[in-house]
Amino acid sequence: CIEFKRAFERSNIVITTGGLGPTFDDITVETAAECLNLEIYPDEKVLNSIKEYFLKRSATSIPKINEKQANIIRGAKVLENRFGTAPGQMLHFKFKDSEKKCQKALFLLPGPPGEMKPMFEENVEPFLKSYSVGIKKNGVLHVFGITESAVEEMIKPIMEEAVSGDSKSVEFGILASKSVIDIKFSVSGTDELLVDETISKLKLGFGSVLRDNIFGSGNDTLASVAGQLLLENKKTVSFAESCTGGNIAAAITDIPGSSLYFRSSVVTYSNESKMKLLGLKEETLTNFGAVSKETAKEMAEGVLKLSDSDYAFSVTGIAGPGGTKEKPVGLVYIGSADKEKTESFKFNFNGTRKDIRKRTVNTVLDLLRRKLIVKHSY
């Protein structure tokens, strides 16, 4: 209750996440009501929606413990939770602040991101926008194939030009995760045409220097962009995976409609499975080893033949632990095969076992994307 009061004293809008569950330590609703000296009541409509949630999941009845989640603060607006049982609540009230009463707003949101984020976007964001002065628009571009420092150096002149002048405000951020670089920018001002023009200039400027290293914007991913290019080109793809253990296939099939262009993925972790399923020659393994460009090429050719797809990629590497001086942890070979030629690419990735696997997945998808861009340009 003390923390609530401190928040009300310094802010007109307070947003909390979590503590709306059914267990004994979920006390956000009770604490907020106590702090504001308001009663709590069981909302019949909310209780029925919780019952429906459980019935849809083949439960015969609602667990008694979950009935607590139907408790609503008197005067609060119920915020529908489409992905869980805990409803959110929005409450307007007056709070005594420095000898005078001020209008305040309190939002109680669930903790799990999958429930909290949609509720925030549908309820809190429009509320906050109604109080905003001026216009603010955001953008994000996704980059792959160059380092974070190289990206910053290349776009620095464009950023410096954009922030000049006093009729608008421009902010930038560069974030890196598993070799994917996000360039985030926001433009604020009172003239919407000027804001839109600035955003267009930024996108054109970044595109002129980063070129094909930009693979998308907004919610685009390497998998979704590669998939879209496969659709546009009416092509199919298959994979032979060793060190990634099926993660490339998982990334591709996360995209709705991927059955139109994804043929198959063969996880050949052992040498025996590489020979039996992909037709890898025993002498190749004996002479060059499982982690080699020769093996990567034969794996790609093997899955291309097996699946009869237009493109095939293979991965073999050392994600860790282990490794030797000649073949250290992070060494990965990627094979690429189509009806015209077979290639191999050597990479040395850093990070944890999970990082190396994720970087490998991203790199395969980017190689596929770039191959399709070249084909699409003819």
Side-chain angles (χ1 to χ4, degrees):
C1 188
I2 293 173
E3 294 303 321
F4 265 121
K5 287 181 178 178
R6 285 177 179 170
F8 297 147
E9 286 171 358
R10 65 174 178 259
S11 304
N12 291 328
I13 302 172
V14 176
I15 304 169
T16 71
T17 60
L20 306 184
T23 58
F24 71 92
D25 56 344
D26 290 308
I27 57 173
T28 300
V29 173
E30 293 84 347
T31 305
E34 179 187 346
C35 179
L36 298 172
N37 197 27
L38 295 171
E39 65 174 359
I40 295 173
Y41 71 97
D43 189 297
E44 194 66 28
K45 188 176 180 181
V46 173
L47 185 60
N48 287 334
S49 70
I50 295 174
K51 288 178 180 178
E52 289 178 10
Y53 180 90
F54 281 98
L55 289 174
K56 286 178 180 178
R57 285 152 183 79
S58 302
T60 55
S61 63
I62 175 176
K64 190 71 178 176
I65 191 174
N66 285 90
E67 292 182 5
K68 168 188 173 184
Q69 293 179 297
N71 291 338
I72 304 299
I73 300 174
R74 184 71 66 182
K77 176 185 176 182
V78 175
L79 308 180
E80 181 188 5
N81 186 343
R82 296 184 288 107
F83 304 96
T85 56
Q89 300 187 39
M90 178 178 69
L91 183 67
H92 295 284
F93 62 95
K94 288 187 177 181
F95 186 81
K96 190 173 183 181
D97 184 9
S98 301
E99 303 304 321
K100 65 176 181 178
K101 287 188 175 181
C102 299
Q103 190 73 20
K104 306 280 183 175
L106 172 64
F107 288 90
L108 306 180
L109 306 181
E115 300 175 31
M116 180 274 293
K117 187 177 179 181
M119 193 178 293
F120 180 91
E121 292 174 346
E122 294 166 12
N123 298 278
V124 184
E125 199 170 293
F127 179 82
L128 296 176
K129 283 182 177 179
S130 68
Y131 284 87
S132 64
V133 178
I135 300 160
K136 183 175 183 178
K137 296 189 178 184
N138 304 312
V140 58
L141 295 176
H142 308 300
V143 179
F144 194 90
I146 48 180
T147 65
E148 184 180 7
S149 57
V151 169
E152 183 176 359
E153 188 66 27
M154 293 169 75
I155 68 173
K156 190 175 181 180
I158 298 162
M159 292 191 296
E160 290 175 346
E161 182 181 353
V163 298
S164 62
D166 55 4
S167 58
K168 62 186 181 301
S169 174
V170 186
E171 296 177 345
F172 296 96
I174 301 176
L175 302 174
S177 177
K178 311 300 181 292
S179 302
V180 175
I181 314 296
D182 287 345
I183 305 172
K184 295 187 175 184
F185 50 92
S186 64
V187 182
S188 304
T190 55
D191 186 333
E192 187 169 11
L193 288 175
L194 180 59
V195 169
D196 289 341
E197 182 184 356
T198 303
I199 288 177
S200 295
K201 283 184 177 179
L202 284 172
K203 289 181 178 179
L204 286 171
F206 292 150
S208 68
V209 293
L210 296 173
R211 299 181 182 276
D212 290 345
N213 292 305
I214 296 177
F215 68 83
S217 62
N219 294 322
D220 290 337
T221 64
L222 282 164
S224 70
V225 171
Q228 185 59 40
L229 286 168
L230 285 165
L231 278 176
E232 291 173 3
N233 286 272
K234 297 180 180 180
K235 299 295 183 182
T236 56
V237 68
S238 294
F239 305 102
E241 303 186 54
S242 183
C243 62
T244 49
N247 281 316
I248 305 173
I252 281 284
T253 55
D254 271 346
I255 308 303
S258 55
S259 59
L260 295 171
Y261 49 80
F262 174 59
R263 284 283 174 86
S264 65
S265 181
V266 183
V267 180
T268 51
Y269 217 65
S270 67
N271 288 347
E272 290 76 15
S273 64
K274 289 179 176 67
M275 290 186 289
K276 182 177 180 180
L277 299 176
L278 299 176
L280 188 67
K281 301 183 185 70
E282 185 175 2
E283 54 265 34
T284 301
L285 290 168
T286 301
N287 295 333
F288 304 105
V291 180
S292 64
K293 66 178 183 180
E294 290 80 8
T295 294
K297 283 184 175 181
E298 287 191 27
M299 287 175 65
E301 289 172 343
V303 77
L304 184 74
K305 182 179 179 181
L306 183 69
S307 63
D308 193 30
S309 56
D310 295 297
Y311 301 108
F313 288 84
S314 67
V315 293
T316 179
I318 303 171
T324 64
K325 185 177 180 180
E326 292 76 20
K327 295 185 178 182
V329 171
L331 174 65
V332 174
Y333 287 96
I334 297 175
S336 169
D338 56 36
K339 301 298 190 295
E340 298 174 2
K341 64 178 178 179
T342 302
E343 301 174 275
S344 71
F345 307 88
K346 178 181 178 182
F347 298 91
N348 285 284
F349 298 121
N350 56 21
T352 64
R353 177 181 175 85
K354 185 177 180 180
D355 291 338
I356 291 167
R357 284 156 62 98
K358 182 60 179 176
R359 286 188 167 93
T360 302
V361 171
N362 285 340
T363 302
V364 169
L365 294 172
D366 188 60
L367 286 170
L368 171 60
R369 176 185 72 91
R370 291 175 188 271
K371 183 181 284 286
L372 288 162
I373 289 172
V374 172
K375 294 289 183 182
H376 196 55
S377 65
Y378 287 126

